[in-house]
Amino acid sequence: MPTMKAGRMNFGTGEFHVQDVAVPSPGHGEVRVKVNAAGVCLSDVHLIRGLVRPLRNGDAERTLGHEVAGTVDAVGGGVEGWTEGDRVALQALVAKPWGVDTMGVDYDGGWAEYVVVPHGVLVAIPDSLPFEQACIIPDAVSTPWAAIQHTAKVKPGEAAVVLGVGGLGIHAIQILRMSGAAPIIAVDPLPGPRENALRRGADAAFDPTQPTFVEELHAFLGNRGVDTAFNFAGFPGIDEQILPLLSPGGRLTIAGLSGNPFTVENSVALIVHQQRILGHYGYLPADVEQLVRLVHWGRLDLRDSVSAVLPLEHAHEAVRQLETKDGDPIRLVLVP
């Protein structure tokens, strides 16, 4: 039986290894994809470190990787419209009666030479879109897109704050600008991401670790509140800092998976001002297709979003770089 390299996480033992496993075969309704690029996300780091676990089958062993692009390699029975060699990006979410199954968590992902997926998750990508950019559209781009468009329902002219300007937050800056939000404020403890946010379209950037952070942000807004805030980072304490700054009817959307609790210190203000704390996860299938078109037509630029490309065998090093913010990476990409 042919084998391949795969980055496997044993959620029962908490161990992660790149190891040899059997090459999977597609079943009915499935397609095998030869992986050309797979993104490394902070949620992958959290899975490896045990900060986040699968909601079901918590002791399972899985190949990680939920940001994947490649070419169709083999087609199972009952699949029409796809042929060997087709260039594709893979949506990571599969709708189920209990919610969604996530690639790299609930079923094997793309930190591997090949991955088998339901044919419905395939999204065609043009020849002009490099695999390294295409692979990060599912999640790094589509998650902030859906958080902004669907969950928070941002309107033109609303004051927006992005908390954490890494792989998701930096694309939120660009999408908020496309959506007409104004002003757009980036919040991150590291100077590199703050500078990057200003280059990508933020109107201001602040360090939340500074004692004057809240006063500076409030002054920049002209003593008005924040209409919509997005936590894409999950760093401790930021939700407590931003909640008092929300305007009446303001929304805090939390998309960064951290597993950390937070406290609503003034629940009376939350109720009286009808503010909202919203959880956000994932995206809709049409979002990835729409974003591929936006990138293709130059409305969204991902050329500077891939900080480095590493071989799959160096997955541990990619995780280390992302976890320690070594070089302030936006997205790291593994190539089998």
Side-chain angles (χ1 to χ4, degrees), residues 227-246:
D227 298 310
T228 183
F230 298 88
N231 184 349
F232 291 111
F235 45 81
I238 193 62
D239 297 311
E240 286 87 347
Q241 284 182 294
I242 206 68
L243 278 173
L245 294 174
L246 291 181

Side-chain angles (χ1 to χ4, degrees), residues 6-7 16-18 40 48 111 310-321 332 334:
F16 171 78
H17 298 288
V18 177
V40 182
I48 290 172
W111 287 10
L310 294 85
L312 175 62
E313 289 82 358
H314 293 183
H316 280 286
E317 172 60 15
V319 168
R320 185 200 66 79
Q321 290 184 24
L332 301 174
L334 298 175

Side-chain angles (χ1 to χ4, degrees), residues 76-96:
V79 176
E80 298 180 355
W82 298 101
T83 59
E84 184 177 339
D86 286 345
R87 303 176 85 252
V88 293
L90 308 184
Q91 301 169 45
L93 306 178
V94 178
K96 295 291 184 178

Side-chain angles (χ1 to χ4, degrees), residues 156-283:
E158 287 193 313
V161 171
V162 176
L163 310 167
V165 199
L168 275 70
I170 196 62
H171 298 114
I173 297 289
Q174 294 175 270
I175 294 164
L176 284 165
R177 198 167 184 90
M178 291 172 57
S179 302
I184 302 167
I185 301 162
V187 176
D188 199 286
L190 298 176
R194 292 198 303 271
E195 293 166 6
N196 196 23
L198 293 170
R199 288 194 296 269
R200 295 285 189 104
D203 298 293
F206 295 100
D207 180 355
T209 66
Q210 294 300 310
T212 57
F213 161 65
V214 172
E215 290 78 9
E216 290 177 1
L217 180 56
H218 198 58
F220 179 81
L221 289 169
N223 294 320
R224 67 183 294 265
V226 174
D227 298 310
T228 183
F230 298 88
N231 184 349
F232 291 111
F235 45 81
I238 193 62
D239 297 311
E240 286 87 347
Q241 284 182 294
I242 206 68
L243 278 173
L245 294 174
L246 291 181
S247 62
R251 296 91 72 202
L252 168 61
T253 301
I254 302 174
L257 295 175
S258 70
N260 295 320
F262 70 93
T263 301
V264 178
E265 295 183 0
N266 191 346
S267 60
V268 173
L270 186 78
I271 294 168
V272 170
H273 296 309
Q274 299 184 41
Q275 297 160 341
R276 284 170 286 167
I277 301 171
L278 306 168
H280 177 82
Y281 185 74
Y283 45 86

